[in-house]
Amino acid sequence: MSKMAGKFITLEGGDGTGKSTQARLLADFLKQNNIKPLLTREPGGAPGSDEVRELILTGDPDRWDAVGETLLFYASRRNHLRLTVWPALERGEWVISDRFADSTIAYQGYGNQLGVDQVMKVHEVTVGDFEPDLTFILDIDVKAGLSRTQGRDHNEDRFERMEIEFHERMREGFLDIAKQNPERCVVINADQNIDKVQEDMRAILKDRYGFS
Ligand code: TMP
């Protein structure tokens, strides 16, 4: 599974870090470098996964507990990998995913305090040893990030409405993941304007893959 033709790049971070905008700009950059990108997101990105997205992201914060939620995220992830990500990588495409498994470790493992070991049990069954080639962790002060999400016109706000301590634990989770995976993860300061954040990310791609 690890020897696929394409590359798998993930964007991670708290709510309001600007991941989705940055993912789109990164896809443009790959195109400029004659690479075919596939832009996708979690939860979602495949038949079945989008329905699960609706189940998890809407409604009361206590609608699911940490275990139920983790199982749903991984059910969605399994279809995303099987039907979208793995076939694209085999075709030689570069897949950019707005969130992947680090989100479950940070949100459910740290934020909801389920613990990393518990999440990893489900991870091993669902994902095995497949992992991203490169992960950008967009980091911003929790309150600054959440204030950016205010006024967004959507009802997928179940996590945004969780208590501030939840978000603080989740941010620490992402920073721990980055420390434990220094080859794969790069922390990006998301408290900068859109162009500067993108410039920092492109600099990493230029360095790693020789893009111009
Ligand atoms: P987003 O598409 O706006 O990033 O929303 C996805 C939300 O779901 C966000 O609040 C983070 C949360 N989430 C988890 O809690 N665990 C996960 O594994 C994933 C993929 C997302």
Side-chain angles (χ1 to χ4, degrees):
M1 203 51 85
S2 56
K3 287 276 164 267
M4 290 201 265
K7 300 253 180 259
F8 185 40
I9 299 176
T10 57
L11 275 71
E12 298 278 10
D15 299 274
T17 48
K19 285 178 293 76
S20 310
T21 306
Q22 296 300 336
R24 277 195 299 276
L25 293 170
L26 219 48
D28 292 343
F29 180 64
L30 290 183
K31 279 187 220 151
Q32 287 162 24
N33 280 275
N34 300 317
I35 301 252
K36 187 171 182 191
L38 186 137
L39 188 55
T40 184
R41 67 169 179 182
E42 288 204 357
S49 305
D50 294 303
E51 284 95 321
V52 177
R53 178 181 179 97
E54 160 94 23
L55 277 179
I56 320 177
L57 298 189
T58 62
D60 287 341
D62 61 1
R63 182 180 189 190
W64 305 103
D65 72 356
V67 175
E69 207 165 81
T70 298
L71 295 171
L72 286 169
F73 277 118
Y74 272 98
S76 158
R77 180 160 303 135
R78 180 73 196 176
N79 266 22
H80 186 222
L81 286 172
R82 191 170 65 84
L83 302 173
T84 303
V85 177
W86 287 337
L89 292 176
E90 273 167 10
R91 291 193 300 268
E93 292 170 22
W94 287 43
V95 178
I96 300 175
S97 187
D98 180 353
R99 295 194 184 281
F100 185 59
D102 294 324
S103 279
T104 321
I105 295 181
Y107 278 78
Q108 283 63 53
Y110 284 79
N112 276 341
Q113 299 178 299
L114 179 59
V116 176
D117 292 349
Q118 294 294 84
V119 176
M120 287 310 290
K121 287 181 190 166
V122 188
H123 183 94
E124 274 152 27
V125 176
T126 318
V127 179
D129 58 10
F130 172 76
E131 62 173 13
D133 295 283
L134 173 64
T135 297
F136 290 109
I137 295 184
L138 274 60
D139 182 61
I140 194 169
D141 170 78
V142 164
K143 285 192 180 136
L146 285 174
S147 73
R148 290 184 182 183
T149 68
Q150 301 305 307
R152 275 189 193 171
D153 183 22
H154 68 81
N155 64 349
E156 293 183 338
D157 62 350
R158 204 173 137 252
F159 287 94
E160 289 160 27
R161 290 193 283 125
M162 288 190 183
E163 56 184 14
I164 194 88
E165 292 78 8
F166 169 92
H167 290 271
E168 296 286 4
R169 289 193 296 271
M170 171 268 286
R171 182 184 185 200
E172 280 312 307
F174 277 123
L175 295 175
D176 280 355
I177 292 167
K179 272 192 214 118
Q180 287 155 16
N181 298 275
E183 296 287 308
R184 172 172 70 84
C185 298
V186 180
V187 178
I188 301 284
N189 174 13
D191 198 6
Q192 313 181 85
N193 69 45
I194 291 174
D195 292 346
K196 181 68 177 77
V197 172
Q198 182 63 199
E199 194 184 311
D200 289 358
M201 292 169 70
R202 289 183 181 189
I204 302 291
L205 287 183
K206 287 175 187 168
D207 188 43
R208 289 210 180 190
Y209 302 115
F211 293 143
S212 51

